[in-house]
Amino acid sequence: MSVARTRVVALTGLEGSIVEVEADLSSGLPGFLLIGLPDASLGEARDRVRAAAANSGCVLPPKKLTVNLSPASLPKHGASFDLGIAVAALAAADLVSHDSAARVVHLGELGLDGRLRPIQGVLPAVLGAVRAGAEIVMVPSANVDEASLVPGVRVVGMPSLRDAAIWHGGDFTPVDVDPVPLESVDRPKSPDLELADVIGNAAAVDALIAAASGGHHLLMVGPPGAGKTMLAARLPALLPDLDIAAALEVTSVRSLCGVPVAGTLETRPPFENPHHSSSAASLIGGGSAILRPGSVSLATRGVLFLDEAPEFAMSVLDSLRQPLESGRVTIQRAHGRAEFPARFQLVMAANPCPCGQYGSRDVACNCSPFQRRRYLGRLSGPLVDRVDLQLRVGRIGSAQFRLAADGQNSTVTTFEARARVAAARARSAERLRETSWSLNSEVPGQWLRSGSQRLSPRETRVIDDALEGGRLTMRGYDRLLRVAWTLADLDAAPRPTSEHVASALALRRSL
Ligand SMILES: [Zn+2]
């Protein structure tokens, strides 16, 4: 007997790294020693592996078994190492082929009955294995579809440890078992919603199209019933399909969160809509034993919608700063650290005041000016500074409803809007092809105010006046320039005219 080896994958955030598993069987007091920085769940792996091996009819000899996971410095947690540990132990006992075990990367949790249980995060784990050069990956039957999304690797699905042992050349008689199915978390696929269903609010629809075209964050302020949620929910439908890298990222985050992925990559931008009572951990990510992504990562490459944004806890709103700045989120805990993607488009909706009726013609608002300022002030500062589009959304009148009922609702359809967005994005990408940016929202204001991008005083007079008169800050000025470029792209104009600049100014009259 000699040392047997195989490989498993440890996930840190979305990054999968190969972990070597070595197993040695020696004479001495029977026992099972697991080393290499195991956390509590790895300790439990020992008991699961022993029971699963016995109940599969692949009994480990009563000797001293030592299993080492390396590198020791890599934090390891979860139950996905069970299969690799069991196969290495069986190889050490010469019950399966050493060579076969060494060639394969193993992923899977063992049940006490010896069946393989599906694990979360199979997609990023297999991606990590393939990047490290793996050619064969063995996974639980229920994870085969998801693992097969990764090209360039042979995926072998196994219902039980006994079947895995037979595949590795073990001399056992096959026994039929029912594979453990995926536990499905209900997550209805959100259909692309129809923009033409929005009645009235033409300015808000224009702003939504501009937001989609330039990738601008958006804040809508208006009374309840103004259709803010309806508008926000339609933004993902206006965005282009995800490219392959984005689709893998979005699907990997879902896989880590236990959302069933099955055999399809998500190709549409996600829409996440956390409630204002959400904790920072559920928004940003966290967890005690295993670090899981939060809403900001589930929304990556898509839209994060904060309805009634001033109602979120200040600490929760503050925690959005890092992802907004870097497109990533880093979670630090005593037992480890994980980084997840969080490149989302932020849409916030807010009532104009605590009672929601300020500015309404029908219902009186009793909030004091101080209460109003303090309410929207909760959003001020670094967060709102990043929001290029800030607009008021009014409640629509009964006249507009009648027009809509008569079929005289002239708003643009989702199909038309998506085509306009795609054309505008193509223009900005072409213009910015020599830079590291592709969307107008990514371009720093200083760049827009320099070189050939600089607009002439004739075009910017209206905002220059506002800046000088103190009605606009420098940051606000830069936001307007970015939006003006997006409006020019939507008009297929080579550069913004004074009308685009004026329209950009009109689109931010909220605060
Ligand atoms: Zn009020």
Side-chain angles (χ1 to χ4, degrees):
M1 286 182 220
S2 60
V3 174
R5 290 188 169 80
T6 187
R7 287 171 293 166
V8 295
V9 179
L11 279 176
T12 314
L14 276 193
E15 291 298 314
S17 317
I18 289 283
V19 169
E20 296 280 342
V21 183
E22 292 173 302
D24 177 63
L25 206 55
S26 60
S27 45
L29 280 181
F32 190 160
L33 191 65
L34 196 51
I35 48 184
L37 262 195
D39 72 359
S41 57
L42 257 181
E44 291 161 9
R46 211 169 38 192
D47 303 333
R48 279 196 304 273
V49 166
R50 195 172 268 297
N55 291 329
S56 307
C58 318
V59 186
L60 292 164
K63 294 191 174 175
K64 184 182 175 197
L65 177 65
T66 307
V67 173
N68 178 36
L69 302 177
S70 61
S73 58
L74 211 57
K76 308 175 193 74
H77 38 64
S80 65
F81 301 152
D82 287 4
L83 176 60
I85 293 169
V87 167
L90 292 176
D94 286 332
L95 293 169
V96 303
S97 151
H98 278 230
D99 288 346
S100 181
R103 273 191 305 138
V104 176
V105 172
H106 295 89
L107 301 169
E109 176 182 345
L110 284 170
L112 296 182
D113 58 359
R115 289 192 297 168
L116 280 169
R117 310 178 66 84
I119 56 166
Q120 295 179 354
V122 164
L123 180 62
V126 174
L127 273 172
V130 173
R131 287 192 190 119
E135 287 167 0
I136 308 174
V137 179
M138 186 180 281
V139 300
S141 299
N143 288 135
V144 168
D145 285 348
E146 183 179 331
S148 303
L149 291 172
V150 182
V153 63
R154 180 173 164 207
V155 174
V156 184
M158 287 294 153
S160 70
L161 179 59
R162 190 184 180 91
D163 289 285
I166 294 169
W167 192 90
H168 281 306
D171 185 17
F172 304 101
T173 322
V175 175
D176 268 348
V177 294
D178 291 327
V180 181
L182 273 180
E183 260 174 54
S184 62
V185 182
D186 250 353
R187 195 183 168 83
K189 210 174 161 64
S190 53
D192 276 349
L193 299 171
E194 182 45 62
L195 192 59
D197 292 344
V198 177
I199 297 165
N201 272 333
V205 169
D206 286 347
L208 202 65
I209 293 173
S213 303
H216 304 286
H217 302 311
L218 171 67
L219 167 64
M220 292 180 279
V221 177
K228 300 178 301 251
T229 306
M230 192 177 183
L231 284 159
R234 279 154 179 75
L235 179 54
L238 307 190
L239 299 172
D241 279 342
L242 302 174
D243 62 22
I244 184 75
L248 278 171
E249 187 176 289
V250 168
T251 314
S252 292
V253 172
R254 294 194 179 178
S255 165
L256 263 189
C257 292
V259 179
V261 165
T264 47
L265 282 182
E266 182 55 65
T267 56
R268 292 297 303 148
F271 180 74
E272 283 297 312
N273 185 5
H275 190 257
H276 58 69
S277 62
S278 297
S279 64
S282 80
L283 197 68
I284 295 299
S288 47
I290 300 178
L291 297 178
R292 295 269 177 237
S295 303
V296 295
S297 297
L298 279 163
T300 193
R301 311 281 185 160
V303 175
L304 179 71
F305 176 49
L306 305 186
D307 199 4
E308 303 195 41
E311 304 284 345
F312 281 74
M314 289 296 270
S315 58
V316 173
L317 292 174
D318 271 348
S319 65
L320 290 173
R321 282 163 64 176
Q322 190 212 4
L324 281 174
E325 213 153 285
S326 63
R328 308 192 65 77
V329 58
T330 310
I331 305 163
Q332 294 278 6
R333 290 288 184 278
H335 58 276
R337 171 179 187 280
E339 198 177 79
F340 297 109
R343 194 180 317 169
F344 53 85
Q345 201 170 342
L346 178 67
V347 179
M348 295 189 287
N351 290 336
C353 64
C355 83
Q357 302 302 338
Y358 179 68
S360 155
R361 271 163 301 190
D362 321 319
V363 191
C365 157
N366 295 321
C367 309
S368 70
F370 171 71
Q371 282 174 315
R372 285 202 304 271
R373 265 203 312 280
R374 193 178 56 178
Y375 188 71
L376 287 179
R378 293 170 63 87
L379 298 178
S380 70
L383 192 57
V384 162
D385 266 344
R386 299 185 181 281
V387 180
D388 289 341
L389 284 163
Q390 305 173 1
L391 74 146
R392 279 220 182 260
V393 185
R395 200 178 277 151
I396 50 165
S398 50
Q400 281 163 307
F401 265 121
R402 273 196 301 278
L403 281 177
D406 295 344
Q408 294 185 39
N409 192 23
S410 62
T411 40
V412 61
T413 66
T414 293
F415 180 80
E416 291 159 354
R418 202 192 288 180
R420 288 185 62 197
V421 168
R425 281 183 169 232
R427 290 189 75 88
S428 66
E430 169 64 17
R431 186 176 63 251
L432 298 169
R433 69 184 181 283
E434 312 235 308
T435 70
S436 58
W437 317 294
S438 64
L439 294 170
N440 291 322
S441 56
E442 298 164 346
V443 179
Q446 214 215 329
W447 191 80
L448 287 178
R449 284 182 271 111
S450 63
S452 62
Q453 298 72 239
R454 192 190 172 93
L455 302 181
S456 76
R458 191 162 40 87
E459 284 143 3
T460 56
R461 194 172 65 216
V462 52
I463 53 175
D464 290 341
D465 289 351
L467 184 68
E468 265 158 48
R471 280 164 285 135
L472 195 61
T473 61
M474 200 64 217
R475 286 209 171 111
Y477 189 95
D478 289 345
R479 287 200 295 263
L480 286 177
L481 285 181
R482 285 194 283 266
V483 174
W485 276 98
T486 296
L487 297 178
D489 287 332
L490 276 165
D491 270 356
R495 50 197 290 126
T497 63
S498 53
E499 278 104 77
H500 293 130
V501 174
S503 307
L505 186 61
L507 276 178
R508 67 170 299 274
R509 285 274 162 84
S510 69
L511 302 177

